Amino acid sequence: MLPFKLHKTFRYFLSLILPQLFLGWLFYNAFNSPEGNLFDFTSIATYWGVLILLFSVLIVLEVNQLSKAWILPVAIILCYTVFLFTLYELRIFNQIPLIRSSGINYEIIPLYLTIPAMFHAIVDLIFKYFRPNGSKAENIQNFALSVIIPLFLYIIGTILIPMFRGSEGGFLRLDIFIMKVALCIAITTFLFFFFRFILGNLVGKNLTKYSPLLLIVFGFVFPYIGLVLSLQFKYFGSFNYPLIYIAIAVNAIGLGLLLNTDTFLKLIGFLLASIGLPVVIYFFIVFLPYIPLSFVALLFLGAGLLLLTPIVLMILQYQIMSRQFPIVCQKYGKKKLITWSFICISILPICFVGFCIDHRNYLNEIIAETDQFDASDRSYKDYDVEKLQYILEQMPKEKSKFSVIQSKNKLPLLSILYDWYVFDNLQVSTKKRTEIKHLFFGQKLFDWNNYNPPLKANSTLTYTYNTEYVAKDDFYKTQVDLAITNLDDRGMLEFQSEFTLPKDVFITDYYLDIEGRRTYGILAEKKAANWIYNRITARLLDPGILQYLYDGVLSLKIFPFGKKETRTSGFTLYHRTPVHFSINDTPIAIDVKPLAQNIVELSENSFYIPTAAKKNLSKASAPVDYYFVVDNTTIGAEFRKQFEEDFRGLSPENQKKVNVLYVDVAINWGTPTRAKESAFNYQKAIKQIQYLHRDQKRIPYVIVYAPYENRFNGKFLSLELEKAFSYDNLVECSHWNKKLPETIELLAFPKNEETYFIRNDGQPSLISLDKTATLDRDFSGNPFLNALQLRLFHDLNDLNPKRKKDHWIRALRESFSQNILTHSTTFISLETKEQEARLRNLQKDIMEKDYTEKAGTETRRMSEPYFWVLLLFISYMLRRQFYKSKHNLKV
């Protein structure tokens, strides 16, 4: 008799009632929302409750011997099989609120929490009425029947059932109904005979005689055949990893040695089997939900046995190791054996954790290279493109379902752990993946995803404004109201426009009118708000979003616009001077009398220099440093030749003055390396030069040798990057006159007996002389001056995230408390409380964490949390039975 004694009726409480209560709790919470619980208790919940009540009554009747012993297991097998079909046919998972279910794949939960009870019921039925005697003839008969049943079903399904095709469509067709009934019967019958085959080889005297054969077939041959087939078809995910092949071989050898009579060999075998045990448990958990679908694989020449191999191997592993454990303990001691075994069991998990840690750190470096790199670090790094390619292949899989239809070549469960840890519980956007491919591989392919942005509306815009003078703090508050009209004869379009504001003009109190009510925007962390915006535009709801793109350029988007519809929106400006800008090609002019235009010290050695104050500064000749930025990729060969020719034409004195940057993914200062098949990291080269000249005491003069088509500009367009360069001396090699200027004329800002240089561009300037990159400890009560400090903080730290780290959270919080739009925040107006709740949850997660380059990307709870519940339950049962077997089992 099996030591688990699964046929004992009271064990149904563990395999049947508790999982269903847990399943009900999960579904109830999945449908929670700020508006209340949206679960439909009139359909599936009623059927579900009746099933649980029915099974509870049958358990009580059987325990008290008031019903036939076959009624309970047969009811479970048939009712649960129909229940699973019904559950999927109702498409209940598509009804879960998208805003709450984005992180958890609920579709597989009923499988994990239902299959144990079906297993239990079948084993119970076999033990009560059809207990196998373990004879070779009976085992062969059961095996043959388990193979014949799905083949017979295939013949019935392709020849006979189509004859019953009715006139109704969809799920009401007679042939589909008959096929469903046949499938239920076939699944149950197949599992019955297959379990009789397994149990016949595991109980009674036949265990010792036949386990070597079972071990070879189910422990070695079938697993490798399954891996080979998986490599070709990948129906259930990709298992093509060397450690898996090695672990299966090590495990089979270990189990074989455990059957040897020599105790030392048993010890070696136990340790080797311990090394392979995590893989056996892993495959057991992965394939457990597919047992009811095993008949599908059996249609293909009996290949369903490969699908069931992990179940058989798990039973074999337990039987052999538990029976040999007392023997090995007698010679080597219980504590030593448990310690050695634990170390061996930990080998593969530790390898996987180390693999994930390495890839997590590497991914953070990769993402930083596209945007948040440290411009102060000028060391050159040669990146491992093969490792990067592997990570890129994993990135698009975070939303894929764990199913046969959508396996997407994943490593099931472990890919979920990999995604969760390596991607830092965040989703890497399609745009970011495209940037990475462009930078590291030179690819400029568009990376398609499931999100299709709305079409842009052809629109007109009118505006009104009302200005209020805040005498206490000496600045203007101007309320700008926009009326936007869709000119197209179609709806569901999006208004999109960009506009530019000076550094000393700030936005607050953004609003969007939705269905006649004014909805003021929530000031949120930038990436979190953008994720919410993309999700809700895909659901055709009402959002509006206002944010900085770069420098002084802002973006305004509103969705949706109906046919010829006019919608109203607006925001408030803080300013001290007249403001002129354009939205949707409509000039907006706010003419006011200029206020105080004196230079203001915002914090120690940090200054605001208004445009008018620049007129009082004298012009001066600034000293120059020279830089040649050379393309070091395979595409830039002709430009490198041009550089070498131009460099030779310089005088020896000028050659010594020139700094040469060889640029591929990374920047090599002064030393050429082998040309890479990557993009030309234009953004990083310029930012490193800018960082060197952050003190504004010397001026960089840069000549660029690179083709336009291979340049990586990060978040900028090429023209935008050049405009963001502090001085108008970023020169293309084709436009260079082969002369190096000695000085460049700028405005001199004398302070503390030193001279600093600023651009004479007719715009206000914000500068910090000591570059401390800190915010004043005591923000003043003046909202305008506070906004200037926040803008200066961004400008100073955009080149150095490490320095930004210490004050990033505070800057974000100050933006929220002041209600001032900055480059790290976004105003977003939302229609529903569910959207606001989701955004605020993301916001809370960000505010509770330290600075991260990826802050605000969609936070994902770890998929399939029930995996841990199942694993803990199995571990408890194994531990309990493992020690019990030492006293009860005969060797």
Side-chain angles (χ1 to χ4, degrees):
M1 183 176 293
L2 279 178
F4 275 110
K5 298 182 180 179
L6 290 174
H7 61 291
K8 296 296 184 181
T9 303
F10 72 89
R11 299 287 176 88
Y12 275 117
F13 181 74
L14 297 177
S15 69
L16 181 68
I17 303 301
L18 284 183
Q20 288 307 296
L21 293 176
F22 180 57
L23 181 60
W25 176 81
L26 284 177
F27 268 102
Y28 180 83
N29 282 276
F31 281 88
N32 266 338
S33 74
E35 300 291 342
N37 197 286
L38 305 178
F39 191 77
D40 184 3
F41 291 94
T42 60
S43 56
I44 188 64
T46 303
Y47 179 50
W48 198 356
V50 169
L51 279 184
I52 295 177
L53 179 62
L54 171 64
F55 295 150
S56 299
V57 171
L58 291 178
I59 289 175
V60 172
L61 291 176
E62 184 166 332
V63 169
N64 292 282
Q65 298 182 348
L66 298 176
S67 66
K68 298 291 185 181
W70 59 268
I71 295 178
L72 175 61
V74 169
I76 292 172
I77 294 168
L78 294 180
C79 291
Y80 264 0
T81 307
V82 175
F83 171 68
L84 290 175
F85 277 112
T86 304
L87 202 59
Y88 282 98
E89 190 170 300
L90 288 175
R91 298 180 178 273
I92 191 172
F93 309 103
N94 295 334
Q95 302 168 23
I96 295 175
L98 185 62
I99 211 160
R100 288 296 305 273
S101 65
S102 58
I104 300 178
N105 179 2
Y106 287 90
E107 295 187 15
I108 198 173
I109 295 177
L111 285 174
Y112 271 125
L113 299 180
T114 301
I115 300 308
M118 295 183 69
F119 264 54
H120 189 168
I122 293 174
V123 174
D124 187 13
L125 194 64
I126 293 173
F127 265 97
K128 286 176 178 175
Y129 292 100
F130 306 99
R131 182 184 178 91
N133 59 30
S135 66
K136 184 176 181 180
E138 185 185 57
N139 288 337
I140 293 175
Q141 181 183 24
N142 287 325
F143 178 80
L145 288 172
S146 67
V147 174
I148 290 172
I149 287 170
L151 294 177
F152 181 72
L153 176 64
Y154 177 78
I155 295 173
I156 296 296
T158 56
I159 298 177
L160 297 181
I161 291 181
M163 298 172 59
F164 296 92
R165 183 183 299 273
S167 59
E168 301 90 345
F171 292 112
L172 299 177
R173 281 172 34 184
L174 180 61
D175 60 332
I176 293 180
F177 176 76
I178 295 174
M179 177 62 79
K180 288 181 180 179
V181 174
L183 287 177
C184 293
I185 297 172
I187 291 173
T188 306
T189 310
F190 163 73
L191 290 177
F192 174 83
F193 284 108
F194 187 73
F195 267 93
R196 289 200 79 216
F197 165 69
I198 295 174
L199 294 173
N201 285 280
L202 296 181
V203 299
K205 298 180 181 180
N206 289 281
L207 176 62
T208 303
K209 183 177 180 181
Y210 291 108
S211 57
L213 176 61
L214 282 177
L215 178 59
I216 294 173
V217 173
F218 288 101
F220 191 83
V221 177
F222 278 2
Y224 274 106
I225 293 176
L227 289 175
V228 171
L229 291 176
S230 176
L231 180 62
Q232 181 176 359
F233 298 106
K234 297 182 181 178
Y235 288 124
F236 305 99
S238 175
F239 301 98
N240 188 34
Y241 296 85
L243 274 179
I244 293 180
Y245 290 90
I246 295 171
I248 290 175
V250 168
N251 186 70
I253 294 171
L255 292 178
L257 291 176
L258 276 171
L259 298 178
N260 198 282
T261 56
D262 185 87
T263 308
F264 177 74
L265 293 179
K266 286 182 182 291
L267 172 65
I268 301 300
F270 195 90
L271 297 179
L272 293 178
S274 297
I275 293 176
L277 183 60
V279 171
V280 176
I281 295 175
Y282 167 65
F283 278 106
F284 172 78
I285 295 174
V286 166
F287 284 91
L288 187 61
Y290 294 117
I291 298 304
L293 307 177
S294 58
F295 66 92
V296 176
L298 279 166
L299 298 180
F300 301 96
L301 303 178
L305 289 178
L306 299 177
L307 184 62
L308 293 167
T309 293
I311 311 300
V312 181
L313 181 56
M314 183 66 184
I315 298 174
L316 277 172
Q317 190 97 6
Y318 169 76
Q319 285 286 326
I320 296 175
M321 292 186 71
S322 62
R323 288 175 181 266
Q324 302 304 322
F325 180 77
I327 299 175
V328 182
C329 279
Q330 289 177 3
K331 184 171 181 180
Y332 295 98
K334 178 180 177 181
K335 290 185 178 179
K336 287 185 178 179
L337 183 57
I338 292 177
T339 301
W340 296 343
S341 177
F342 177 77
I343 293 173
C344 292
I345 290 173
S346 302
I347 290 176
L348 290 179
I350 289 174
C351 290
F352 179 73
V353 170
F355 177 77
C356 288
I357 290 174
D358 177 58
H359 280 219
R360 174 193 174 109
N361 295 336
Y362 195 70
L363 176 61
N364 288 337
E365 291 183 34
I366 295 302
I367 291 178
E369 282 300 308
T370 64
D371 190 15
Q372 296 290 343
F373 56 83
D374 183 1
S376 67
D377 183 5
R378 293 191 291 158
S379 60
Y380 180 82
K381 181 172 182 179
D382 194 357
Y383 289 91
D384 185 347
V385 293
E386 291 185 1
K387 185 192 297 186
L388 175 57
Q389 184 64 46
Y390 178 89
I391 295 173
L392 289 176
E393 290 173 356
Q394 308 306 310
M395 282 185 181
K397 300 172 186 174
E398 61 256 359
K399 290 185 178 180
S400 64
K401 303 298 183 183
F402 180 43
S403 66
V404 178
I405 300 175
Q406 295 178 319
S407 62
K408 300 206 174 175
N409 301 338
K410 294 181 65 172
L411 185 63
L413 291 180
L414 289 186
S415 285
I416 295 170
L417 290 168
Y418 180 93
D419 290 348
W420 172 70
Y421 185 80
V422 175
F423 300 146
D424 198 19
N425 202 29
L426 303 167
Q427 288 185 351
V428 182
S429 67
T430 301
K431 179 181 179 181
K432 182 62 66 179
R433 290 196 293 265
T434 304
E435 288 180 354
I436 292 172
K437 290 179 181 179
H438 177 207
L439 176 57
F440 288 87
F441 302 102
Q443 300 176 3
K444 278 196 168 183
L445 301 175
F446 183 76
D447 194 1
W448 292 95
N449 67 352
N450 293 329
Y451 173 68
N452 295 316
L455 296 177
K456 183 177 180 180
N458 178 27
S459 57
T460 60
L461 180 146
T462 60
Y463 76 96
T464 59
Y465 72 90
N466 179 52
T467 299
E468 171 192 353
Y469 173 60
V470 182
K472 176 185 175 183
D473 299 317
D474 194 33
F475 72 96
Y476 294 112
K477 288 178 63 175
T478 298
Q479 172 72 44
V480 180
D481 299 302
L482 308 175
I484 305 166
T485 302
N486 175 24
L487 301 178
D488 290 315
D489 291 325
R490 56 175 297 184
M492 303 313 296
L493 302 179
E494 179 184 58
F495 172 79
Q496 306 171 18
S497 184
E498 297 178 8
F499 59 98
T500 303
L501 293 177
K503 286 188 176 183
D504 58 354
V505 178
F506 306 99
I507 289 181
T508 185
D509 293 339
Y510 166 74
Y511 73 86
L512 174 66
D513 290 337
I514 300 176
E515 296 180 353
R517 70 180 189 279
R518 180 145 299 182
T519 304
Y520 280 93
I522 299 172
L523 189 60
E525 197 280 332
K526 192 170 189 176
K527 294 179 183 177
N530 276 276
W531 178 80
I532 289 290
Y533 183 85
N534 291 340
R535 293 300 296 267
I536 61 183
T537 53
R539 297 180 65 198
L540 307 182
L541 299 176
D542 278 289
I545 190 167
L546 176 63
Q547 61 190 326
Y548 279 98
L549 296 179
Y550 61 91
D551 199 26
V553 179
L554 296 102
S555 168
L556 173 63
K557 294 191 290 186
I558 299 172
F559 177 86
F561 275 81
K563 175 182 177 182
K564 305 294 185 182
E565 181 183 12
T566 297
R567 302 194 64 179
T568 53
S569 182
F571 47 82
T572 299
L573 299 177
Y574 290 172
H575 58 107
R576 282 185 170 178
T577 58
V579 183
H580 296 84
F581 59 99
S582 295
I583 299 180
N584 199 44
D585 297 327
T586 299
I588 296 178
I590 302 173
D591 293 314
V592 294
K593 179 182 178 180
L595 300 177
Q597 293 292 289
N598 55 300
I599 297 175
V600 179
E601 186 169 9
L602 300 173
S603 59
E604 187 177 359
N605 287 328
S606 295
F607 297 91
Y608 160 53
I609 307 174
T611 304
K614 283 187 172 183
K615 297 178 181 179
N616 300 323
L617 298 178
S618 59
K619 295 182 180 179
S621 296
V624 180
D625 287 338
Y626 312 108
Y627 299 90
F628 285 0
V629 179
V630 183
D631 192 322
N632 197 47
T633 70
T634 52
I635 298 178
E638 293 184 5
F639 285 84
R640 285 195 299 278
K641 291 180 180 179
Q642 181 64 47
F643 158 71
E644 292 168 0
E645 180 181 336
D646 292 347
F647 186 78
R648 286 193 298 267
L650 295 175
S651 66
E653 181 181 355
N654 280 338
Q655 287 182 358
K656 293 179 181 179
K657 293 180 181 179
V658 168
N659 298 283
V660 183
L661 284 68
Y662 293 94
V663 182
D664 44 64
V665 172
I667 316 297
N668 198 334
W669 285 68
T671 305
T673 59
R674 179 180 56 84
K676 299 287 185 63
E677 292 186 2
S678 68
F680 169 79
N681 200 340
Y682 191 33
Q683 173 189 227
K684 187 172 185 179
I686 298 303
K687 294 298 184 181
Q688 285 190 353
I689 295 171
Q690 283 182 304
Y691 182 80
L692 282 177
H693 293 269
R694 64 195 182 281
D695 59 7
Q696 297 176 267
K697 293 181 180 180
R698 298 184 64 86
I699 306 305
Y701 185 85
V702 183
I703 302 100
V704 181
Y705 288 83
Y708 280 102
E709 64 272 13
N710 194 40
R711 298 186 186 187
F712 178 79
N713 304 311
K715 59 186 176 182
F716 301 95
L717 298 174
S718 183
L719 181 61
E720 294 167 355
L721 184 63
E722 292 169 5
K723 285 183 177 180
F725 193 62
S726 300
Y727 314 97
D728 299 322
N729 47 354
L730 190 59
V731 182
E732 296 296 328
C733 62
S734 57
H735 301 155
W736 182 44
N737 60 8
K738 306 301 185 291
K739 294 181 181 180
L740 298 177
E742 293 294 332
T743 59
I744 295 177
E745 188 174 83
L746 297 167
L747 294 178
F749 179 67
K751 199 70 179 179
N752 300 334
E753 299 181 355
E754 294 192 60
T755 300
Y756 302 85
F757 299 96
I758 58 177
R759 298 172 68 175
N760 188 15
D761 54 5
Q763 294 293 322
S765 293
L766 292 166
I767 64 172
S768 178
L769 305 186
D770 56 13
K771 307 301 177 185
T772 56
T774 61
L775 296 169
D776 192 1
R777 291 184 179 180
D778 299 318
F779 257 37
S780 72
N782 188 322
F784 181 76
L785 297 182
N786 293 343
L788 287 170
Q789 275 207 61
L790 290 171
R791 178 56 190 268
L792 176 60
F793 176 81
H794 165 78
D795 291 349
L796 292 176
N797 293 281
D798 194 38
L799 300 177
N800 194 337
K802 288 185 178 178
R803 295 168 66 202
K804 185 177 183 178
K805 179 177 180 179
D806 296 336
H807 302 277
W808 180 81
I809 286 292
R810 189 186 167 209
L812 199 60
R813 287 172 177 162
E814 290 294 350
S815 174
F816 296 153
S817 65
Q818 301 291 327
N819 201 34
I820 294 292
L821 181 65
T822 67
H823 287 73
S824 298
T825 55
T826 292
F827 272 119
I828 182 168
S829 293
L830 302 172
E831 179 183 23
T832 68
K833 292 182 179 179
E834 291 92 340
Q835 297 164 7
E836 291 185 8
R838 178 59 170 154
L839 178 58
R840 294 190 189 280
N841 286 336
L842 284 174
Q843 193 89 315
K844 182 180 178 182
D845 290 342
I846 293 168
M847 299 303 293
E848 290 177 351
K849 295 179 180 178
D850 292 332
Y851 172 80
T852 170
E853 295 85 353
K854 297 175 288 181
T857 310
E858 175 190 358
T859 302
R860 294 186 292 127
R861 295 180 179 88
M862 178 171 169
S863 297
E864 301 170 90
Y866 42 86
F867 161 73
W868 296 107
V869 177
L870 179 65
L871 186 58
L872 288 173
F873 175 73
I874 292 174
S875 300
Y876 168 76
M877 295 299 296
L878 283 175
R879 181 181 180 278
R880 186 171 182 273
Q881 295 295 331
F882 197 71
Y883 288 108
K884 184 178 178 182
S885 65
K886 184 175 68 171
H887 303 289
N888 297 338
L889 293 179
K890 294 182 180 180
V891 180

